Amino acid sequence: MRQKLVYLKETPSQTAGPYVHIGLAPGAAGFEIYEQELGWDIAGPNARGERIRVEGVVTDGTGSPVKDVLLEAWQANSDGIYAHPEHTGEVEDGFRGWGRVITDFETGEWGLDTVKPGPVMGRGDQMMAPHINLWIVARGINVGLNTRIYFDDEAAANAADPVLNVIEWERRRATLIARRALRDGLAVYRFDIRLQGEDETVFFDI
Amino acid sequence: MIKPPLQGDFYQRDRRWHPPALSQEYKTSVTRSPQFPLISLENTVSEITGPAFGHNDINATDNDLLSNFAQPGGSPIGERIIVHGRVLDENARPVPNTLVEIWQANASGRYRHKKDTYLGALDPNFGGCGRTLTDENGCYHFRTVKPGAYPWRNRVNDWRPAHIHVSVFGTGFAQRLITQLYFEGDPLIARCPIVNTIPDPEAVEMLVARLDINATIPLDTIAYRFDIVLRGRRSTMFENRMEGN
């Protein structure tokens, strides 16, 4: 008898829809239910490194802000270590490296407060520049979109980054570089995401 | 001694199995779908790792939507159901201790959300969200009411089949998944433009929870079974080291 391969198929994705907040951020939907919501504190109180804020708007193919988007961030600490058993090294007590942000329902602006991650060793011992991994879901997005935030004050590291260098179209790499400014002494990076059209953000199939 | 194989990269996602970004019938996707191809990335530690959650993050009763928003002595209106199943990977191995979050409309098809203005009444005893961690065998369960169908603005007369939104993590950020659970026998499934973003009917079947009569509680609650499959990982046998770690 012919041998069978017993792999399962992945469950197919469906859009998160417009009411994603009910499940993942019920306070934003307009009610209190959980003792604690998850993902509002990415770095925790003990994280070393520079405190930063990253802000932006997600826009659609018409240039309009996407106001019902939810983003999740996943990042290493300032030493380049992920809070995960498969990554060697310790992170600070309370550092999770994961966060969830939603937009202002009126403007579409979102912002995440964290620490700037350190460089992380990539494949083949090639160092990756500091980056925050993003996963984006919303009504009208059928499969969550993956991208990365890099930082414009890391020009040398970015130039050597093995992931940015996979992007054949050099001018598209700029869509992944957040721009730094100072606001009341805090480093605030601007990272707008364009789902479609001119300067469409690079999304990855990871 | 033979060492157990290390865990390597995740199997590539089958993009013909998932819905494409652009689906004309699901109108919102038209302007929210990237037009450039996705850039294919071999897994690095950034994709292989992901957040972990524990019992300190949630309450044990968060998975009971019949009670987690009910007023004292109250109970939501609707068909009382159990939704249960396992979270597995493509290697058919259980995914233990992973966070499963759900959200849904109430029995009249109304969401407890400041942006939902549907005529269906809010239920003072129903919030509409729950969360739980899978156990060591990958099993999870929720208690809730069966959500109602509701109309939505796409074409003039589109109705969503009864559904529950499901969010799952796995162990790596590359496994992150949101999907929707439908109910066996619902005639609206085949008519739904969101369901129909999925090209393969076999893939749609994976989203249809089955009546599980053996798991019902007699005289109390009907049960539906819904297994979830996340991406699996290669074994790195015959490799000296795992790249990216």
mmCIF file with all atom_site columns, all heavy atoms in Angstrom, chain B residues 4 14 47 49 57 70 80 117 119 136 153 163 166 171 195-196 200-201 207-208 221:
data_model
loop_
_atom_site.group_PDB
_atom_site.id
_atom_site.type_symbol
_atom_site.label_atom_id
_atom_site.label_alt_id
_atom_site.label_comp_id
_atom_site.label_asym_id
_atom_site.label_entity_id
_atom_site.label_seq_id
_atom_site.pdbx_PDB_ins_code
_atom_site.Cartn_x
_atom_site.Cartn_y
_atom_site.Cartn_z
_atom_site.occupancy
_atom_site.B_iso_or_equiv
_atom_site.pdbx_formal_charge
_atom_site.auth_seq_id
_atom_site.auth_comp_id
_atom_site.auth_asym_id
_atom_site.auth_atom_id
_atom_site.pdbx_PDB_model_num
ATOM 1   N N   . PRO B 1 4   ? 17.713  14.181 19.774 1.00 0.00 ? 4   PRO B N   1
ATOM 2   C CA  . PRO B 1 4   ? 16.458  14.542 19.109 1.00 0.00 ? 4   PRO B CA  1
ATOM 3   C C   . PRO B 1 4   ? 16.701  15.680 18.121 1.00 0.00 ? 4   PRO B C   1
ATOM 4   O O   . PRO B 1 4   ? 17.562  16.528 18.358 1.00 0.00 ? 4   PRO B O   1
ATOM 5   C CB  . PRO B 1 4   ? 15.564  15.007 20.268 1.00 0.00 ? 4   PRO B CB  1
ATOM 6   C CG  . PRO B 1 4   ? 16.497  15.378 21.361 1.00 0.00 ? 4   PRO B CG  1
ATOM 7   C CD  . PRO B 1 4   ? 17.736  14.544 21.192 1.00 0.00 ? 4   PRO B CD  1
ATOM 8   N N   . ASP B 1 14  ? 1.262   28.169 2.691  1.00 0.00 ? 14  ASP B N   1
ATOM 9   C CA  . ASP B 1 14  ? 0.685   27.859 1.382  1.00 0.00 ? 14  ASP B CA  1
ATOM 10  C C   . ASP B 1 14  ? -0.280  28.982 1.011  1.00 0.00 ? 14  ASP B C   1
ATOM 11  O O   . ASP B 1 14  ? -1.434  29.003 1.432  1.00 0.00 ? 14  ASP B O   1
ATOM 12  C CB  . ASP B 1 14  ? -0.040  26.512 1.444  1.00 0.00 ? 14  ASP B CB  1
ATOM 13  C CG  . ASP B 1 14  ? -0.604  26.103 0.095  1.00 0.00 ? 14  ASP B CG  1
ATOM 14  O OD1 . ASP B 1 14  ? -0.563  26.922 -0.855 1.00 0.00 ? 14  ASP B OD1 1
ATOM 15  O OD2 . ASP B 1 14  ? -1.102  24.964 -0.018 1.00 0.00 ? 14  ASP B OD2 1
ATOM 16  N N   . GLU B 1 47  ? 11.439  35.662 13.539 1.00 0.00 ? 47  GLU B N   1
ATOM 17  C CA  . GLU B 1 47  ? 10.188  35.021 13.148 1.00 0.00 ? 47  GLU B CA  1
ATOM 18  C C   . GLU B 1 47  ? 9.950   33.722 13.916 1.00 0.00 ? 47  GLU B C   1
ATOM 19  O O   . GLU B 1 47  ? 8.805   33.308 14.112 1.00 0.00 ? 47  GLU B O   1
ATOM 20  C CB  . GLU B 1 47  ? 10.206  34.697 11.645 1.00 0.00 ? 47  GLU B CB  1
ATOM 21  C CG  . GLU B 1 47  ? 10.111  35.907 10.744 1.00 0.00 ? 47  GLU B CG  1
ATOM 22  C CD  . GLU B 1 47  ? 11.422  36.679 10.647 1.00 0.00 ? 47  GLU B CD  1
ATOM 23  O OE1 . GLU B 1 47  ? 12.491  36.034 10.620 1.00 0.00 ? 47  GLU B OE1 1
ATOM 24  O OE2 . GLU B 1 47  ? 11.385  37.919 10.627 1.00 0.00 ? 47  GLU B OE2 1
ATOM 25  N N   . THR B 1 49  ? 10.828  33.071 17.040 1.00 0.00 ? 49  THR B N   1
ATOM 26  C CA  . THR B 1 49  ? 10.409  33.343 18.409 1.00 0.00 ? 49  THR B CA  1
ATOM 27  C C   . THR B 1 49  ? 9.089   34.114 18.401 1.00 0.00 ? 49  THR B C   1
ATOM 28  O O   . THR B 1 49  ? 8.669   34.649 17.374 1.00 0.00 ? 49  THR B O   1
ATOM 29  C CB  . THR B 1 49  ? 11.466  34.178 19.149 1.00 0.00 ? 49  THR B CB  1
ATOM 30  O OG1 . THR B 1 49  ? 11.661  35.402 18.423 1.00 0.00 ? 49  THR B OG1 1
ATOM 31  C CG2 . THR B 1 49  ? 12.792  33.430 19.254 1.00 0.00 ? 49  THR B CG2 1
ATOM 32  N N   . ASP B 1 57  ? -1.391  35.906 33.243 1.00 0.00 ? 57  ASP B N   1
ATOM 33  C CA  . ASP B 1 57  ? -1.858  36.923 32.297 1.00 0.00 ? 57  ASP B CA  1
ATOM 34  C C   . ASP B 1 57  ? -3.378  36.982 32.206 1.00 0.00 ? 57  ASP B C   1
ATOM 35  O O   . ASP B 1 57  ? -3.937  37.991 31.785 1.00 0.00 ? 57  ASP B O   1
ATOM 36  C CB  . ASP B 1 57  ? -1.309  36.624 30.896 1.00 0.00 ? 57  ASP B CB  1
ATOM 37  C CG  . ASP B 1 57  ? 0.176   36.879 30.804 1.00 0.00 ? 57  ASP B CG  1
ATOM 38  O OD1 . ASP B 1 57  ? 0.621   37.928 31.298 1.00 0.00 ? 57  ASP B OD1 1
ATOM 39  O OD2 . ASP B 1 57  ? 0.902   36.044 30.235 1.00 0.00 ? 57  ASP B OD2 1
ATOM 40  N N   . ALA B 1 70  ? -21.793 38.692 32.649 1.00 0.00 ? 70  ALA B N   1
ATOM 41  C CA  . ALA B 1 70  ? -23.171 38.639 33.146 1.00 0.00 ? 70  ALA B CA  1
ATOM 42  C C   . ALA B 1 70  ? -23.297 39.375 34.465 1.00 0.00 ? 70  ALA B C   1
ATOM 43  O O   . ALA B 1 70  ? -22.396 39.352 35.295 1.00 0.00 ? 70  ALA B O   1
ATOM 44  C CB  . ALA B 1 70  ? -23.614 37.190 33.307 1.00 0.00 ? 70  ALA B CB  1
ATOM 45  N N   . ARG B 1 80  ? -27.078 28.020 24.266 1.00 0.00 ? 80  ARG B N   1
ATOM 46  C CA  . ARG B 1 80  ? -25.871 27.801 25.066 1.00 0.00 ? 80  ARG B CA  1
ATOM 47  C C   . ARG B 1 80  ? -24.984 26.773 24.364 1.00 0.00 ? 80  ARG B C   1
ATOM 48  O O   . ARG B 1 80  ? -25.428 25.656 24.093 1.00 0.00 ? 80  ARG B O   1
ATOM 49  C CB  . ARG B 1 80  ? -26.250 27.282 26.452 1.00 0.00 ? 80  ARG B CB  1
ATOM 50  C CG  . ARG B 1 80  ? -27.051 28.261 27.288 1.00 0.00 ? 80  ARG B CG  1
ATOM 51  C CD  . ARG B 1 80  ? -27.813 27.542 28.384 1.00 0.00 ? 80  ARG B CD  1
ATOM 52  N NE  . ARG B 1 80  ? -26.946 26.786 29.293 1.00 0.00 ? 80  ARG B NE  1
ATOM 53  C CZ  . ARG B 1 80  ? -26.340 27.334 30.357 1.00 0.00 ? 80  ARG B CZ  1
ATOM 54  N NH1 . ARG B 1 80  ? -26.509 28.611 30.637 1.00 0.00 ? 80  ARG B NH1 1
ATOM 55  N NH2 . ARG B 1 80  ? -25.575 26.592 31.135 1.00 0.00 ? 80  ARG B NH2 1
ATOM 56  N N   . THR B 1 117 ? -23.814 49.657 15.019 1.00 0.00 ? 117 THR B N   1
ATOM 57  C CA  . THR B 1 117 ? -25.105 50.321 15.197 1.00 0.00 ? 117 THR B CA  1
ATOM 58  C C   . THR B 1 117 ? -26.264 49.467 14.690 1.00 0.00 ? 117 THR B C   1
ATOM 59  O O   . THR B 1 117 ? -27.344 49.968 14.392 1.00 0.00 ? 117 THR B O   1
ATOM 60  C CB  . THR B 1 117 ? -25.121 51.666 14.452 1.00 0.00 ? 117 THR B CB  1
ATOM 61  O OG1 . THR B 1 117 ? -24.790 51.415 13.075 1.00 0.00 ? 117 THR B OG1 1
ATOM 62  C CG2 . THR B 1 117 ? -24.111 52.633 15.040 1.00 0.00 ? 117 THR B CG2 1
ATOM 63  N N   . LEU B 1 119 ? -29.497 47.050 14.343 1.00 0.00 ? 119 LEU B N   1
ATOM 64  C CA  . LEU B 1 119 ? -30.778 47.056 15.063 1.00 0.00 ? 119 LEU B CA  1
ATOM 65  C C   . LEU B 1 119 ? -30.855 46.000 16.151 1.00 0.00 ? 119 LEU B C   1
ATOM 66  O O   . LEU B 1 119 ? -31.576 46.176 17.135 1.00 0.00 ? 119 LEU B O   1
ATOM 67  C CB  . LEU B 1 119 ? -31.918 46.778 14.067 1.00 0.00 ? 119 LEU B CB  1
ATOM 68  C CG  . LEU B 1 119 ? -32.164 47.801 12.967 1.00 0.00 ? 119 LEU B CG  1
ATOM 69  C CD1 . LEU B 1 119 ? -33.144 47.214 11.953 1.00 0.00 ? 119 LEU B CD1 1
ATOM 70  C CD2 . LEU B 1 119 ? -32.711 49.077 13.569 1.00 0.00 ? 119 LEU B CD2 1
ATOM 71  N N   . GLU B 1 136 ? -1.760  20.995 28.208 1.00 0.00 ? 136 GLU B N   1
ATOM 72  C CA  . GLU B 1 136 ? -0.545  20.313 27.735 1.00 0.00 ? 136 GLU B CA  1
ATOM 73  C C   . GLU B 1 136 ? -0.808  19.469 26.485 1.00 0.00 ? 136 GLU B C   1
ATOM 74  O O   . GLU B 1 136 ? 0.121   19.114 25.770 1.00 0.00 ? 136 GLU B O   1
ATOM 75  C CB  . GLU B 1 136 ? 0.073   19.468 28.857 1.00 0.00 ? 136 GLU B CB  1
ATOM 76  C CG  . GLU B 1 136 ? -0.760  18.285 29.342 1.00 0.00 ? 136 GLU B CG  1
ATOM 77  C CD  . GLU B 1 136 ? -1.830  18.668 30.373 1.00 0.00 ? 136 GLU B CD  1
ATOM 78  O OE1 . GLU B 1 136 ? -2.113  19.885 30.535 1.00 0.00 ? 136 GLU B OE1 1
ATOM 79  O OE2 . GLU B 1 136 ? -2.395  17.750 31.002 1.00 0.00 ? 136 GLU B OE2 1
ATOM 80  N N   . ARG B 1 153 ? -22.432 46.019 5.360  1.00 0.00 ? 153 ARG B N   1
ATOM 81  C CA  . ARG B 1 153 ? -22.396 46.838 4.155  1.00 0.00 ? 153 ARG B CA  1
ATOM 82  C C   . ARG B 1 153 ? -21.282 46.368 3.240  1.00 0.00 ? 153 ARG B C   1
ATOM 83  O O   . ARG B 1 153 ? -20.111 46.666 3.446  1.00 0.00 ? 153 ARG B O   1
ATOM 84  C CB  . ARG B 1 153 ? -22.199 48.305 4.522  1.00 0.00 ? 153 ARG B CB  1
ATOM 85  C CG  . ARG B 1 153 ? -23.425 48.884 5.169  1.00 0.00 ? 153 ARG B CG  1
ATOM 86  C CD  . ARG B 1 153 ? -23.340 50.380 5.339  1.00 0.00 ? 153 ARG B CD  1
ATOM 87  N NE  . ARG B 1 153 ? -24.509 50.861 6.065  1.00 0.00 ? 153 ARG B NE  1
ATOM 88  C CZ  . ARG B 1 153 ? -25.675 51.118 5.464  1.00 0.00 ? 153 ARG B CZ  1
ATOM 89  N NH1 . ARG B 1 153 ? -25.801 50.980 4.164  1.00 0.00 ? 153 ARG B NH1 1
ATOM 90  N NH2 . ARG B 1 153 ? -26.698 51.539 6.183  1.00 0.00 ? 153 ARG B NH2 1
ATOM 91  N N   . HIS B 1 163 ? -20.740 33.427 13.204 1.00 0.00 ? 163 HIS B N   1
ATOM 92  C CA  . HIS B 1 163 ? -19.306 33.123 13.266 1.00 0.00 ? 163 HIS B CA  1
ATOM 93  C C   . HIS B 1 163 ? -18.696 33.637 14.554 1.00 0.00 ? 163 HIS B C   1
ATOM 94  O O   . HIS B 1 163 ? -19.215 34.558 15.187 1.00 0.00 ? 163 HIS B O   1
ATOM 95  C CB  . HIS B 1 163 ? -18.569 33.736 12.064 1.00 0.00 ? 163 HIS B CB  1
ATOM 96  C CG  . HIS B 1 163 ? -18.593 35.234 12.043 1.00 0.00 ? 163 HIS B CG  1
ATOM 97  N ND1 . HIS B 1 163 ? -19.675 35.944 11.565 1.00 0.00 ? 163 HIS B ND1 1
ATOM 98  C CD2 . HIS B 1 163 ? -17.700 36.162 12.469 1.00 0.00 ? 163 HIS B CD2 1
ATOM 99  C CE1 . HIS B 1 163 ? -19.436 37.238 11.692 1.00 0.00 ? 163 HIS B CE1 1
ATOM 100 N NE2 . HIS B 1 163 ? -18.239 37.403 12.248 1.00 0.00 ? 163 HIS B NE2 1
ATOM 101 N N   . VAL B 1 166 ? -11.441 34.030 15.877 1.00 0.00 ? 166 VAL B N   1
ATOM 102 C CA  . VAL B 1 166 ? -10.478 33.277 16.690 1.00 0.00 ? 166 VAL B CA  1
ATOM 103 C C   . VAL B 1 166 ? -9.072  33.788 16.396 1.00 0.00 ? 166 VAL B C   1
ATOM 104 O O   . VAL B 1 166 ? -8.676  33.912 15.230 1.00 0.00 ? 166 VAL B O   1
ATOM 105 C CB  . VAL B 1 166 ? -10.550 31.763 16.371 1.00 0.00 ? 166 VAL B CB  1
ATOM 106 C CG1 . VAL B 1 166 ? -9.588  30.993 17.269 1.00 0.00 ? 166 VAL B CG1 1
ATOM 107 C CG2 . VAL B 1 166 ? -11.968 31.231 16.535 1.00 0.00 ? 166 VAL B CG2 1
ATOM 108 N N   . THR B 1 171 ? 4.059   29.334 18.973 1.00 0.00 ? 171 THR B N   1
ATOM 109 C CA  . THR B 1 171 ? 5.321   29.629 19.666 1.00 0.00 ? 171 THR B CA  1
ATOM 110 C C   . THR B 1 171 ? 6.158   30.662 18.936 1.00 0.00 ? 171 THR B C   1
ATOM 111 O O   . THR B 1 171 ? 7.058   31.250 19.523 1.00 0.00 ? 171 THR B O   1
ATOM 112 C CB  . THR B 1 171 ? 6.170   28.359 19.817 1.00 0.00 ? 171 THR B CB  1
ATOM 113 O OG1 . THR B 1 171 ? 6.385   27.802 18.512 1.00 0.00 ? 171 THR B OG1 1
ATOM 114 C CG2 . THR B 1 171 ? 5.466   27.330 20.691 1.00 0.00 ? 171 THR B CG2 1
ATOM 115 N N   . VAL B 1 195 ? -16.108 34.507 3.497  1.00 0.00 ? 195 VAL B N   1
ATOM 116 C CA  . VAL B 1 195 ? -15.768 33.079 3.398  1.00 0.00 ? 195 VAL B CA  1
ATOM 117 C C   . VAL B 1 195 ? -15.185 32.792 2.022  1.00 0.00 ? 195 VAL B C   1
ATOM 118 O O   . VAL B 1 195 ? -14.174 32.091 1.879  1.00 0.00 ? 195 VAL B O   1
ATOM 119 C CB  . VAL B 1 195 ? -17.024 32.206 3.630  1.00 0.00 ? 195 VAL B CB  1
ATOM 120 C CG1 . VAL B 1 195 ? -16.712 30.740 3.345  1.00 0.00 ? 195 VAL B CG1 1
ATOM 121 C CG2 . VAL B 1 195 ? -17.568 32.389 5.037  1.00 0.00 ? 195 VAL B CG2 1
ATOM 122 N N   . ASN B 1 196 ? -15.822 33.365 0.998  1.00 0.00 ? 196 ASN B N   1
ATOM 123 C CA  . ASN B 1 196 ? -15.438 33.044 -0.373 1.00 0.00 ? 196 ASN B CA  1
ATOM 124 C C   . ASN B 1 196 ? -14.139 33.710 -0.832 1.00 0.00 ? 196 ASN B C   1
ATOM 125 O O   . ASN B 1 196 ? -13.733 33.518 -1.973 1.00 0.00 ? 196 ASN B O   1
ATOM 126 C CB  . ASN B 1 196 ? -16.588 33.384 -1.325 1.00 0.00 ? 196 ASN B CB  1
ATOM 127 C CG  . ASN B 1 196 ? -17.740 32.423 -1.157 1.00 0.00 ? 196 ASN B CG  1
ATOM 128 O OD1 . ASN B 1 196 ? -17.540 31.267 -0.755 1.00 0.00 ? 196 ASN B OD1 1
ATOM 129 N ND2 . ASN B 1 196 ? -18.951 32.873 -1.433 1.00 0.00 ? 196 ASN B ND2 1
ATOM 130 N N   . ASP B 1 200 ? -10.192 27.511 -1.967 1.00 0.00 ? 200 ASP B N   1
ATOM 131 C CA  . ASP B 1 200 ? -10.346 26.054 -1.978 1.00 0.00 ? 200 ASP B CA  1
ATOM 132 C C   . ASP B 1 200 ? -11.465 25.635 -1.018 1.00 0.00 ? 200 ASP B C   1
ATOM 133 O O   . ASP B 1 200 ? -11.394 25.913 0.184  1.00 0.00 ? 200 ASP B O   1
ATOM 134 C CB  . ASP B 1 200 ? -9.008  25.427 -1.542 1.00 0.00 ? 200 ASP B CB  1
ATOM 135 C CG  . ASP B 1 200 ? -8.990  23.919 -1.725 1.00 0.00 ? 200 ASP B CG  1
ATOM 136 O OD1 . ASP B 1 200 ? -10.064 23.291 -1.635 1.00 0.00 ? 200 ASP B OD1 1
ATOM 137 O OD2 . ASP B 1 200 ? -7.892  23.374 -1.949 1.00 0.00 ? 200 ASP B OD2 1
ATOM 138 N N   . PRO B 1 201 ? -12.514 24.960 -1.537 1.00 0.00 ? 201 PRO B N   1
ATOM 139 C CA  . PRO B 1 201 ? -13.612 24.527 -0.656 1.00 0.00 ? 201 PRO B CA  1
ATOM 140 C C   . PRO B 1 201 ? -13.143 23.655 0.503  1.00 0.00 ? 201 PRO B C   1
ATOM 141 O O   . PRO B 1 201 ? -13.741 23.667 1.576  1.00 0.00 ? 201 PRO B O   1
ATOM 142 C CB  . PRO B 1 201 ? -14.544 23.746 -1.588 1.00 0.00 ? 201 PRO B CB  1
ATOM 143 C CG  . PRO B 1 201 ? -14.143 24.106 -2.963 1.00 0.00 ? 201 PRO B CG  1
ATOM 144 C CD  . PRO B 1 201 ? -12.725 24.563 -2.936 1.00 0.00 ? 201 PRO B CD  1
ATOM 145 N N   . LEU B 1 207 ? -12.880 25.583 8.472  1.00 0.00 ? 207 LEU B N   1
ATOM 146 C CA  . LEU B 1 207 ? -13.396 26.655 9.329  1.00 0.00 ? 207 LEU B CA  1
ATOM 147 C C   . LEU B 1 207 ? -14.801 26.370 9.844  1.00 0.00 ? 207 LEU B C   1
ATOM 148 O O   . LEU B 1 207 ? -15.394 27.205 10.522 1.00 0.00 ? 207 LEU B O   1
ATOM 149 C CB  . LEU B 1 207 ? -13.387 27.981 8.563  1.00 0.00 ? 207 LEU B CB  1
ATOM 150 C CG  . LEU B 1 207 ? -12.018 28.450 8.081  1.00 0.00 ? 207 LEU B CG  1
ATOM 151 C CD1 . LEU B 1 207 ? -12.125 29.830 7.452  1.00 0.00 ? 207 LEU B CD1 1
ATOM 152 C CD2 . LEU B 1 207 ? -11.017 28.460 9.224  1.00 0.00 ? 207 LEU B CD2 1
ATOM 153 N N   . VAL B 1 208 ? -15.331 25.204 9.484  1.00 0.00 ? 208 VAL B N   1
ATOM 154 C CA  . VAL B 1 208 ? -16.705 24.881 9.876  1.00 0.00 ? 208 VAL B CA  1
ATOM 155 C C   . VAL B 1 208 ? -16.670 23.949 11.087 1.00 0.00 ? 208 VAL B C   1
ATOM 156 O O   . VAL B 1 208 ? -16.273 22.792 10.993 1.00 0.00 ? 208 VAL B O   1
ATOM 157 C CB  . VAL B 1 208 ? -17.468 24.233 8.703  1.00 0.00 ? 208 VAL B CB  1
ATOM 158 C CG1 . VAL B 1 208 ? -18.895 23.902 9.133  1.00 0.00 ? 208 VAL B CG1 1
ATOM 159 C CG2 . VAL B 1 208 ? -17.469 25.160 7.490  1.00 0.00 ? 208 VAL B CG2 1
ATOM 160 N N   . THR B 1 221 ? -26.041 22.133 27.540 1.00 0.00 ? 221 THR B N   1
ATOM 161 C CA  . THR B 1 221 ? -25.259 22.889 26.573 1.00 0.00 ? 221 THR B CA  1
ATOM 162 C C   . THR B 1 221 ? -24.861 22.017 25.381 1.00 0.00 ? 221 THR B C   1
ATOM 163 O O   . THR B 1 221 ? -24.361 20.908 25.566 1.00 0.00 ? 221 THR B O   1
ATOM 164 C CB  . THR B 1 221 ? -23.973 23.441 27.233 1.00 0.00 ? 221 THR B CB  1
ATOM 165 O OG1 . THR B 1 221 ? -24.335 24.080 28.454 1.00 0.00 ? 221 THR B OG1 1
ATOM 166 C CG2 . THR B 1 221 ? -23.273 24.436 26.347 1.00 0.00 ? 221 THR B CG2 1
#
